[in-house]
């Protein structure tokens, strides 16, 4: 199993607008291709303009196949266009994590 941990930062004052846009146009298609993440949360303290989501994949091949299908979907391409036009996001940080041997989810 691998975990795809993503942190996005929005321009100050735009996180609610960005999440509303994502909920309407991104969430349905992304969850269709990737399944449900184990975490999708907005930051409560610290950088309150950020949110995090963590997706679970069987392995790198599973991740690559699911993300390729997502990127090829015209509805996802349209969401990315809408998101870029809105200009709410200012940064994205991705980490691939692998559970340590003693942790069993």
């Amino acid at each position: 199993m691998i975990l795809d941990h993503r942190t996005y930062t929005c321009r100050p004052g735009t996180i609610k607008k960005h999440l509303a846009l994502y909920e309407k146009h991104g969430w349905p298609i992304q969850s269709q291709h990737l399944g449900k993440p184990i975490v999708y949360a907005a930051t409560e303290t610290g950088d309150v303009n950020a949110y995090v989501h963590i997706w679970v994949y069987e392995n790198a091949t599973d991740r690559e196949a699911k993300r390729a299908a997502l990127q090829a979907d015209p509805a996802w391409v349209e969401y990315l266009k809408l998101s870029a036009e809105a200009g709410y996001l200012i940064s994205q940080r991705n980490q691939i994590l692998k559970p340590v041997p003693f942790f069993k989810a």
Side-chain angles (χ1 to χ4, degrees):
M1 168 177 51
I2 61 171
L3 305 165
D4 186 352
H5 177 276
R6 294 170 171 252
T7 302
Y8 294 83
T9 304
C10 294
R11 285 190 355 247
T14 66
I15 192 167
K16 288 181 182 179
K17 291 176 185 178
H18 172 72
L19 290 175
L21 179 74
Y22 172 76
E23 181 181 15
K24 182 175 182 181
H25 299 282
W27 173 250
I29 196 68
Q30 190 172 32
S31 59
Q32 176 186 338
H33 286 283
L34 305 184
K36 302 291 188 223
I38 59 170
V39 172
Y40 208 115
T43 305
E44 181 71 19
T45 61
D47 185 355
V48 295
N49 298 302
Y51 65 97
V52 172
H53 41 100
I54 301 173
W55 305 85
V56 178
Y57 300 97
E58 291 176 28
N59 51 43
T61 302
D62 178 44
R63 178 184 178 273
E64 184 177 331
K66 287 179 177 176
R67 293 205 51 83
L70 174 65
Q71 296 298 326
D73 191 308
W76 182 250
V77 173
E78 179 63 19
Y79 163 70
L80 293 178
K81 179 183 170 198
L82 292 171
S83 179
E85 288 170 354
Y88 302 139
L89 291 175
I90 58 173
S91 71
Q92 172 184 346
R93 181 174 182 229
N94 297 3
Q95 294 177 295
I96 300 298
L97 307 172
K98 186 176 176 182
V100 295
F102 60 82
F103 179 78
K104 304 296 180 207

